[in-house]
Amino acid sequence: MSLVLDPAAQDLLFREARTTGAFTDEPVTEEQVQAIYDLVKYGPTAFNQTPLRVVLVRSAEARERLVPLMAEGNQAKTAAAPLVAILAADNEFHEELPKLFPAFPQAKDAFFAERPVREASARMNAALQAAYFIVGVRAAGLAAGPMTGFDFAAVQKEFLDDDHTPLMIVNLGRAAGDAPYPRSPRLVYDEVVTTV
């Protein structure tokens, strides 16, 4: 069976999309970020918990605080990107569950009363949402450069609090030029999928 999604959209979101580290100087607007969120907020998570939190690093002062916390190879591209987003997991997401999962508002206390359980669930589900976010950036006609090469503890201290765990930092904007290297190989279906 073929996919229902238009082939051009498949290319935009997956086949032709590339991670990038070089961007034009065209700004990423608040309206674009709002549109991205308004699309990707519908991606599924366990109990609809929605633990992803996004910190947009827009000001020059905030960028100056962030860049030194990046791994050396990520500093220049983070300094130059039109917009940088810190994606984090909210470890207190359960406080929103009665509103977000009205079919079973007791989930807040029944499953997530203990902090270690919340942290594990927040990390997994916020990572799902981070993937949706990257696809949403592509749907907006922009490119994303997700990175985990940074000082996690320092980013948490500088931009978040003890209830929020950084997952990744994503540079956003319009890609400048072609990708610097060919697309890396992918595993084929038979290497990934097993039927039992």
Side-chain angles (χ1 to χ4, degrees), residues 19-106:
T19 297
T20 189
F23 300 92
T24 69
D25 59 0
E26 182 180 336
V28 177
T29 67
E30 186 65 29
E31 292 75 21
Q32 287 172 303
V33 177
Q34 179 74 47
I36 291 165
Y37 178 73
D38 285 343
L39 174 65
V40 304
K41 69 184 178 184
Y42 295 108
T45 58
F47 294 101
N48 196 36
Q49 63 186 246
T50 318
L52 181 69
R53 300 295 178 266
V54 181
V55 177
L56 298 177
V57 181
R58 286 200 181 273
S59 72
E61 179 271 331
R63 190 78 61 108
E64 288 172 7
R65 290 170 27 224
L66 177 61
V67 168
L69 306 180
M70 303 300 294
E72 186 176 339
N74 292 332
Q75 289 180 356
K77 57 188 170 185
T78 302
L83 180 61
V84 180
I86 301 169
L87 304 188
D90 180 359
N91 296 308
E92 297 298 315
F93 70 86
H94 70 307
E95 296 296 340
E96 302 290 342
L97 280 181
K99 173 176 73 176
L100 295 174
F101 199 63
F104 185 45
Q106 308 91 309

Side-chain angles (χ1 to χ4, degrees), residues 117-132:
V117 173
R118 285 198 308 275
E119 287 178 352
S121 190
R123 271 192 312 272
M124 181 183 73
N125 286 281
L128 278 174
Q129 289 187 282
Y132 304 145

Side-chain angles (χ1 to χ4, degrees), residues 126-139:
L128 278 174
Q129 289 187 282
Y132 304 145
F133 181 82
I134 292 167
V135 173
V137 167
R138 293 171 174 182

Side-chain angles (χ1 to χ4, degrees), residues 108-162:
K108 172 186 180 235
D109 298 315
F111 296 108
F112 301 109
E114 296 179 18
R115 175 72 180 230
V117 173
R118 285 198 308 275
E119 287 178 352
S121 190
R123 271 192 312 272
M124 181 183 73
N125 286 281
L128 278 174
Q129 289 187 282
Y132 304 145
F133 181 82
I134 292 167
V135 173
V137 167
R138 293 171 174 182
L142 301 172
M147 302 167 288
T148 56
F150 61 91
D151 184 329
F152 281 72
V155 166
Q156 182 176 25
K157 182 178 179 183
E158 189 68 30
F159 293 95
L160 303 166
D161 59 33
D162 290 342

